[in-house]
Every structure is written in structure tokens, then in C-alpha cells.
Amino acid sequence: MSDQKDALYAASLDGEWEKSSFSNGSGSDCVQIMPIDGGVAFGDSKRRDLDGALRFTDKEMLAHILAVKAGQYDHLIPDGTEL
């Protein structure tokens, strides 16, 4: 792993988790994101034991957001899937 990624995984998770406004209203089925030094951490409200298991640099997160906005992953959502 690079020094940048090592630092990212060493960053503490002491901020506030943010969830999508499209998530389940009860808060029990949420992908959560927390800003951390140098990037973001991902969590899953159903698996709190894995909070922060995935962490991405700011540049990696930007690349992902741009790909989502461009529809690059639309084919991964089965027809008929609803929130």
C-alpha cells in the first residue's frame, strides 16, 4: 500500500457519518460516508463492525462520483429496482 493509503487507513473515524437522502428513512439500510483526513471512509448501517473498512482518497472519490454521474454503472442495477 502507498504511504497516502496507509495514512488514510490510519485516520480516525471521529467525524459524523453522512447518508444519502435516497436511503431508507429508518436509517437501517444506509451506505454512509464520513469525510476523513485525505479522503472519505464508507460504512454500512447494517454492519457497524465494518465501519471505515473502505477508504478512498479525494481523487479516487472524485473519479467515482464522476463515473456515477456519467451513468457508467447504470448497467449494474437490475431492471425494476426501486428505492
Side-chain angles (χ1 to χ4, degrees), residues 24-40:
N24 174 333
S26 70
S28 62
D29 293 322
C30 304
V31 173
Q32 301 172 317
I33 299 175
M34 179 187 296
I36 58 174
D37 288 338
V40 295

Side-chain angles (χ1 to χ4, degrees), residues 7-72:
L8 199 60
Y9 278 91
S12 63
L13 297 175
D14 55 4
E16 294 290 324
W17 288 106
E18 299 176 24
K19 68 174 187 159
S20 166
S21 60
F22 293 96
S23 293
N24 174 333
S26 70
S28 62
D29 293 322
C30 304
V31 173
Q32 301 172 317
I33 299 175
M34 179 187 296
I36 58 174
D37 288 338
V40 295
F42 277 76
D44 181 340
S45 61
K46 294 177 297 306
R47 291 293 310 266
R48 299 315 305 248
D49 58 314
L50 297 176
D51 280 350
L54 292 174
R55 300 181 186 204
F56 300 99
T57 65
D58 293 328
K59 195 177 219 178
E60 291 168 333
M61 188 63 189
L62 176 59
H64 178 69
I65 288 171
L66 293 174
V68 169
K69 285 183 174 183
Q72 184 174 340

